[in-house]
Amino acid sequence: MYLGIDIGSSSSKVAILNARKELAATDVVNMGTGTAGPKAALENALRAAGAAREDIKYIVATGYGRINFGEADQQITEISCHAKGVSHLMKDVETVIDIGGQDAKVIKIGKDGKVKNFVMNEKCAAGTGRFLEVMARVLGCRIEELSDLAERSVHDIPISSVCTVFAESEVISRLASGAAREDVAKGAHNAIAKRIMGMCSRVGYEPLLAMTGGVALNRNMVKLMGIELGQPVIAAPYPQAVGAIGAAVFAYEKSERAAERAAEA
Amino acid sequence: MQEFKESMKALQAAALHPGKTVRLSMRETGREAIGCFPIYTPDEIVYAAGYLPVGMWGGKTQIRLADKYLQGFCCSIMRANMEFGLQGTYDFLKAVIIPAFCDTLKCICENWKVAVPQIPAIPMVYPQNRKLETGFRYLIAELKRVKKEIEGIKGAEISEAELEKAFRIYEEYRAVMRDFVKASAVHPLTVSPVARHLIIKAGFFMDKAKYTALVRGIVEGLQALPEEKCRGVKAVATGLIGEPAELPEIFGENGICIAADDFAQESRQFRVKGREEGSVWEKMAYRTVDQEGCTFLFDEEKPKGRMLIRMTEETGAKAVIVCMMKFCDPEEFDFPVIKEELEAARIPILCLEIDQQMDSFEQIRTRVQSFVEMLNEDVI
């Protein structure tokens, strides 16, 4: 079996592929690098796959905490892994929008999930999952409820700031002046969509577009992203675990190549 | 064989400890020091006057006092310089020369007079229209004015012979540095990106004659070695600076080899050879006239993109890395032009936003590694 582990800033994801390159298990633990999250996700995924640590032939680590994961045979960036993961799960996708806890990326991919170009947000939480977390807190709801809240919006309210700190002040001002929570929630989603649109324009984007990362679990965000881009955007299967799945595919391929080389020798 | 490697180590250490290096250079030469702000200053005049020209390219520090004069959205090099000035770190300097290449530098010149009055500021304005005869004459007049101000600090005149001698020493330095970057490009394993950067940077803190001799030894040592193959991605790097040192370290970790650079702090300082003809003043001025592709020297033709394409072709580089100093307007204004031209030439670009005071490199590490993974399938 082949294992990919994606250690992000706010969650840890593990995927395991079997000998036929099929997905045997995935697991997501909402604790990221520097916590017990990676170990817990690893144990959960092994249990779900009915495997023991000794059954794993190759491990690829990715994500923000990839360098500190000592058990990995190789570490590959989440940009390459998201491209690989999407390519493994979906056909004909040419652009990946990955919005995680603290960063956002737009990746153009070619055949076999090869990265053709990418752009990543600067050191700032604008346009990331963290932005939505802050918005949910200000709006007094759980992050999982934010999508439904925004879908009930009847008026468009622009949130002009994409800076998480400034946007928080702006949202509080809007609420104080009587704006509906639903409209403000939608405004926050649109602010992210516009921010990501700018990144898409920088790198150039082609249909089909797929969204990955924790923010892709937000149906309304995916829908608004599509409206902003003027192209259909679809959420990838297992959106949070796509990077880990890509890492597991790399692990499979690396192991296969090593076996082929050994056979030739 | 090992001697040049010892020199490499010594120069890297010298660049990492500028204060110590400058004081040692002052002791060894008996020269007092004059600070030279980025991007260009007439260091030859400082040297001819018997002073040690010291490059003032900021450095890592905690910004506490500089906020009073330069807000958070100003260039981090200038904020660091102002901070060091206010902290008294530069109090050993006899004066500073501050050229006016950008809005922040224009402001800092006036701020400095108020904030750091104990160190006299010598302003210098490089002409916008440097290629016109009037601009050329104006530049010579500015150079002569700076000479007068330094003479005022020295209390004695600088002779033409002293200036010519200093210019020759600097021309020799520049020629040796051009050889160094060429030799480094074909020895990327011996000269890592961070070693290359630090060796070049050390020159800002040392006596040029001594420094040139050391670098010449390094060049000869490298030339005696067989050429080395880049195992990763050969790239041309551009920007104001390519630091903090963690940045070229990350390049090295990911197998990036610097085939050539266009950094203001590095090759732009020495890539232009002085003309043979004319007076020493004209030769100094022509070096500014003849500089191509520098963001800070006006050129309506905007040749930087084409220059970078030529550099990649000539060196066999596969990509261009842009180190974009946060809030550096001149560099940011140039970027869309060069991006379009590089993309049209199908040269991959990696643009990294940098800040001299940054202490978290994970995003940059991910970008650099992803870029290498994208260009070099062998690594994944």
Side-chain angles (χ1 to χ4, degrees):
Chain A
M1 289 185 162
Y2 311 90
L3 189 141
I5 181 164
D6 178 0
I7 306 170
S9 58
S10 54
S11 63
S12 304
K13 292 79 71 174
V14 169
I16 297 175
L17 296 187
N18 63 22
R20 294 184 301 278
K21 212 178 175 182
E22 296 161 345
L23 197 57
T26 63
D27 195 71
V28 179
V29 171
N30 287 325
M31 290 190 291
T33 184
T35 71
K39 188 167 179 280
L42 188 66
E43 286 169 1
N44 293 345
L46 284 171
R47 202 177 305 117
R53 177 67 185 79
E54 300 73 51
D55 299 325
I56 304 299
K57 285 187 180 173
Y58 205 96
I59 298 180
V60 169
T62 187
Y64 185 62
R66 67 188 180 280
I67 291 161
N68 302 322
F69 188 73
E71 291 183 59
D73 295 291
Q74 190 177 359
Q75 49 103 350
I76 295 174
T77 65
E78 54 270 40
I79 291 169
S80 297
C81 287
H82 273 266
K84 191 63 131 180
V86 165
S87 169
H88 182 72
L89 295 167
M90 307 164 83
K91 300 293 167 212
D92 304 323
V93 171
E94 297 212 14
T95 309
V96 179
I97 298 167
D98 169 40
I99 310 181
Q102 281 189 11
D103 56 29
K105 308 168 196 84
V106 179
I107 311 161
K108 279 179 79 172
I109 61 174
K111 286 198 173 105
D112 304 325
K114 185 171 160 30
V115 176
K116 284 164 73 179
N117 204 352
F118 67 91
V119 62
M120 190 172 170
N121 68 318
E122 300 301 341
K123 196 170 64 180
C124 161
T128 72
R130 179 71 187 145
F131 179 88
L132 287 178
E133 281 174 14
V134 170
M135 293 303 113
R137 180 170 51 78
V138 176
L139 292 167
C141 69
R142 290 187 295 126
I143 185 79
E144 299 85 355
E145 296 166 345
L146 201 59
S147 177
D148 289 342
L149 190 68
E151 274 192 332
R152 295 198 294 274
S153 165
V154 286
H155 298 293
D156 279 341
I157 291 183
I159 303 295
S160 57
S161 180
V162 286
C163 166
T164 304
V165 178
F166 291 156
E168 183 174 359
S169 306
E170 191 177 342
V171 164
I172 291 168
S173 303
R174 292 279 188 189
L175 293 172
S177 60
R181 289 168 67 240
E182 292 81 358
D183 296 338
V184 173
K186 187 178 175 190
H189 284 70
N190 273 326
I192 290 194
K194 287 183 195 304
R195 168 89 174 170
I196 301 298
M197 169 66 177
M199 290 173 64
C200 287
S201 301
R202 273 166 61 194
V203 78
Y205 59 96
E206 304 284 341
L208 190 62
L209 292 103
M211 253 180 94
T212 64
V215 174
L217 292 168
N218 181 321
R219 290 188 321 276
N220 195 48
M221 190 67 248
V222 178
K223 186 177 87 183
L224 292 173
M225 199 68 251
I227 293 169
E228 187 63 37
L229 290 168
Q231 300 281 353
V233 176
I234 47 176
Y238 317 99
Q240 282 180 288
V242 170
I245 293 169
V249 175
F250 274 124
Y252 176 91
E253 291 176 353
K254 291 291 259 188
S255 187
E256 287 293 295
R257 277 206 296 272
E260 280 169 20
R261 276 198 297 271
E264 283 168 13
Chain B
M1 174 62 81
Q2 288 309 309
E3 202 177 319
F4 87 90
K5 290 191 176 170
E6 289 304 317
S7 297
M8 284 177 62
K9 276 189 204 162
L11 290 181
Q12 289 176 72
L16 288 169
H17 303 98
K20 193 174 150 193
T21 306
V22 169
R23 283 173 202 284
L24 179 66
S25 301
M26 289 168 71
R27 262 205 313 279
E28 283 177 350
T29 60
R31 289 170 179 257
E32 291 186 291
I34 287 183
C36 299
F37 268 65
I39 312 298
Y40 309 108
T41 45
D43 294 16
E44 295 94 328
I45 300 175
V46 177
Y47 197 84
Y51 291 107
L52 179 76
V54 174
M56 295 175 69
W57 289 80
K60 276 216 165 181
T61 183
Q62 186 80 35
I63 304 290
R64 293 182 295 115
L65 307 171
D67 272 333
K68 185 174 175 186
Y69 297 96
L70 295 172
Q71 302 89 330
F73 53 78
C74 292
C75 160
S76 52
I77 298 175
M78 292 305 126
R79 275 163 61 80
N81 276 0
M82 182 58 86
E83 181 70 27
F84 286 132
L86 288 163
Q87 284 178 8
T89 312
Y90 292 146
D91 280 357
F92 67 93
L93 296 174
K94 297 298 284 182
V96 290
I97 302 175
I98 307 179
F101 284 112
C102 66
D103 289 348
T104 305
L105 275 164
K106 282 172 197 159
C107 295
I108 212 172
C109 191
E110 295 309 308
N111 285 336
W112 189 273
K113 291 175 191 169
V114 177
V116 197
Q118 71 275 23
I119 307 173
I122 304 172
M124 168 141 195
V125 178
Y126 282 75
Q128 179 90 341
N129 296 304
R130 64 199 160 100
K131 289 179 187 286
L132 301 182
E133 179 64 19
T134 47
F136 181 68
R137 293 290 151 211
Y138 171 80
L139 177 51
I140 289 175
E142 273 293 272
L143 292 169
K144 287 183 175 174
R145 184 185 55 74
V146 169
K147 172 180 169 270
K148 274 253 174 280
E149 294 209 32
I150 294 173
E151 285 173 338
I153 291 162
K154 186 188 177 190
E157 283 193 9
I158 304 165
S159 72
E160 205 82 349
E162 286 169 326
L163 190 57
E164 280 171 4
K165 187 180 170 197
F167 187 77
R168 278 196 302 276
I169 288 170
Y170 269 74
E171 275 297 278
E172 182 60 18
Y173 148 74
R174 291 188 277 259
V176 168
M177 295 313 292
R178 291 193 291 272
D179 289 341
F180 171 70
V181 293
K182 275 188 202 153
S184 304
V186 290
H187 296 95
L189 307 181
T190 305
V191 188
S192 67
V194 70
R196 182 188 187 279
H197 161 68
L198 291 173
I199 289 168
I200 294 171
K201 189 178 175 183
F204 286 114
F205 315 124
M206 294 174 67
D207 177 81
K208 280 293 186 291
K210 181 184 173 185
Y211 172 77
T212 302
L214 286 171
V215 179
R216 187 184 293 112
I218 294 171
V219 172
E220 287 166 1
L222 290 172
Q223 286 171 343
L225 295 177
E227 290 193 1
E228 297 162 351
K229 193 171 175 347
C230 174
R231 292 174 188 157
V233 172
K234 274 172 86 171
V236 169
T238 181
L240 182 57
I241 56 173
E243 58 176 18
E246 288 87 343
L247 187 65
E249 264 174 19
I250 291 171
F251 293 162
E253 282 168 19
N254 287 284
I256 287 178
C257 308
I258 304 297
D261 83 86
D262 167 50
F263 287 125
Q265 193 192 31
E266 300 185 12
S267 283
R268 281 187 229 170
Q269 295 294 320
F270 48 75
R271 71 184 174 203
V272 179
K273 183 179 183 301
R275 292 193 190 182
E276 300 293 333
E277 73 276 13
S279 69
V280 69
W281 297 106
E282 288 170 332
K283 286 176 185 172
M284 285 169 68
Y286 273 129
R287 285 200 62 256
T288 301
V289 172
D290 292 342
Q291 176 80 260
E292 298 290 343
C294 175
T295 307
F296 299 91
L297 297 173
F298 176 68
D299 194 332
E300 63 182 3
E301 297 291 328
K302 290 279 177 201
K304 193 184 189 72
R306 295 188 295 282
M307 181 190 76
L308 291 170
I309 292 168
R310 194 174 63 244
M311 286 166 76
T312 55
E313 288 169 352
E314 286 172 359
T315 58
K318 281 175 78 177
V320 170
I321 299 176
V322 180
C323 296
M324 181 63 71
M325 172 60 73
K326 196 182 264 187
F327 308 124
C328 178
D329 288 352
E331 292 272 324
E332 285 176 350
F333 292 155
D334 264 4
F335 183 65
V337 181
I338 66 169
K339 179 174 183 275
E340 193 172 288
E341 290 176 349
L342 290 168
E343 282 176 349
R346 298 187 169 277
I347 297 170
I349 319 161
L350 175 66
C351 183
L352 302 169
E353 190 182 64
I354 61 164
D355 179 327
Q356 204 174 35
Q357 305 308 330
M358 63 188 177
D359 47 18
S360 168
F361 294 90
E362 291 319 306
Q363 280 204 338
I364 284 184
R365 181 173 277 111
T366 296
R367 278 174 211 213
V368 171
Q369 190 182 337
S370 297
F371 192 63
V372 171
E373 288 170 358
M374 183 178 91
L375 296 178
N376 187 3
E377 282 183 335
D378 294 345
V379 300
I380 50 176

